[in-house]
């Protein structure tokens, strides 16, 4: 007899030639007005995509993930987001890069929505608290293949 299981994936996947041109539409659909843009070590590689987000958002904060992410790196980014005033509170994330960049984007979106510290929610090395509130909307734009980071929670 087969064991029961659940399969969860991203709510929407857009794939194809020139689909990056639809990025502004997706940002608007998700109601993102103040966006954290997460990139890798060389954000200038994605200037066109970053500009698309800037064009439709009231404010943006660009953060870099130049190497394998650490808890301290995520904390620093969260602190930068939290230093903004209430009228500048980020309400969405666009992550453009490989698996590390996308994972950091998802972590930021979840912790900004739920408060606290990243270790509050990590199992084994952290407190393993349940995430009680939905994450901020995340648009993941993978620039590498095979990580699957864009379709995991």
């Amino acid at each position: 007899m087969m064991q029961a299981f659940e399969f969860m994936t991203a709510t929407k996947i857009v794939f194809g030639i020139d689909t990056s041109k639809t990025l502004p539409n997706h940002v608007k659909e998700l109601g993102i007005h103040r966006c954290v843009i997460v990139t890798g070590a060389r954000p200038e590689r994605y200037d066109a995509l970053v500009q698309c987000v800037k064009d439709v958002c009231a404010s943006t904060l660009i953060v870099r993930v130049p190497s394998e992410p650490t808890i301290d790196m995520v904390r620093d980014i969260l602190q930068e987001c939290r230093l903004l005033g209430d009228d500048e509170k980020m309400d969405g994330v666009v992550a453009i890069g490989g698996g590390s960049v996308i994972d950091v984007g998802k972590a930021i979106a979840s912790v900004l929505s739920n408060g606290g510290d990243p270790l509050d929610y990590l199992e084994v090395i952290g407190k393993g608290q349940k995430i009680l509130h939905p994450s901020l909307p995340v648009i993941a734009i993978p620039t590498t293949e095979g990580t699957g980071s864009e379709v995991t929670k």
Side-chain angles (χ1 to χ4, degrees):
M1 177 162 56
M2 180 181 243
Q3 291 285 332
F5 66 91
E6 290 183 23
F7 177 77
M8 299 178 78
T9 189
T11 55
K12 184 176 189 179
I13 296 174
V14 180
F15 179 83
I17 297 170
D18 288 335
T19 55
S20 61
K21 292 178 181 176
T22 64
L23 176 59
N25 297 335
H26 299 293
V27 171
K28 288 180 199 175
E29 282 174 14
L30 291 171
I32 300 173
H33 303 286
R34 294 170 306 282
C35 186
V36 181
I37 302 172
V38 186
T39 70
R42 296 185 4 227
E44 66 277 1
R45 293 172 59 191
Y46 311 112
D47 280 347
L49 290 171
V50 169
Q51 191 58 52
C52 285
V53 177
K54 286 181 168 185
D55 288 346
V56 295
C57 287
S59 64
T60 57
L61 174 65
I62 300 170
V63 297
R64 293 177 352 145
V65 178
S67 59
E68 191 67 28
T70 64
I71 293 294
D72 286 335
M73 182 187 298
V74 174
R75 284 179 176 142
D76 289 345
I77 294 169
L78 286 165
Q79 181 63 21
E80 198 172 346
C81 293
R82 290 172 175 157
L83 286 174
L84 302 170
D86 281 344
D87 59 336
E88 291 294 314
K89 256 187 197 165
M90 298 291 111
D91 59 10
V93 175
V94 172
I96 308 166
S100 294
V101 168
I102 293 171
D103 284 342
V104 168
K106 293 184 299 185
I108 291 166
S110 185
V111 178
L112 282 176
S113 181
N114 284 276
D117 184 81
L119 281 177
D120 292 341
Y121 305 101
L122 293 177
E123 297 173 350
V124 182
I125 64 168
K127 296 178 182 175
Q129 288 179 200
K130 290 185 186 238
I131 295 172
L132 299 177
H133 305 287
S135 163
L136 298 180
V138 176
I139 297 174
I141 303 172
T143 59
T144 58
E145 59 184 65
T147 69
S149 181
E150 68 277 6
V151 293
T152 59
K153 276 188 143 181

